[in-house]
Amino acid sequence: MKKAIAIDPKDNVATLLTDVKSGETVKVQLGEDAFKLAAREEMPFGHKLSLAGIRQGENIVKYGEVIGRASADIEPGAHVHVHNVESLRGRGDLK
């Protein structure tokens, strides 16, 4: 059973379709393709899971759109949330 979904091939995060436990194998559906990776930590339904290593300062891409920037290095299978993502929306200091 798939436990996460990504929409666009550019996505570097997937949305969890269920709660996952640390070390659990997560099947990610991306179009017709599916792959598996291990969750690095416990994560709740609806949160984001890193599909690849994302370095600090790199964009976070979900559904083909940039939704923020990594504020720390993020390993594959890690929880992607407010503790490691910086919002780029509504900021007057970015051009």
Side-chain angles (χ1 to χ4, degrees), residues 27-65:
K27 181 178 179 185
V28 180
Q29 190 74 38
L30 176 55
E32 297 297 316
D33 298 323
F35 58 95
K36 296 177 184 179
L37 70 155
R40 291 187 171 268
E41 54 207 292
E42 189 171 311
M43 292 172 260
F45 163 82
H47 281 234
K48 296 173 294 300
L49 168 81
S50 177
L51 298 177
I54 305 169
R55 298 293 140 230
Q56 183 176 4
E58 290 182 345
N59 289 334
I60 306 295
V61 182
K62 177 180 173 184
Y63 305 150
E65 298 293 326

Side-chain angles (χ1 to χ4, degrees), residues 8-9 11 13 17 28 37 42 54 56 62 67 73 75 84-86 89 91:
D8 191 283
D11 291 353
V13 298
L17 302 174
V28 180
L37 70 155
E42 189 171 311
I54 305 169
Q56 183 176 4
K62 177 180 173 184
I67 62 165
D73 289 345
E75 297 300 322
N84 56 11
V85 177
E86 171 182 47
R89 295 181 184 206
R91 291 186 49 174

Side-chain angles (χ1 to χ4, degrees), residues 15-27:
T15 302
L16 292 172
L17 302 174
T18 183
D19 294 347
V20 297
K21 294 183 175 14
S22 180
E24 185 174 347
T25 298
V26 178
K27 181 178 179 185

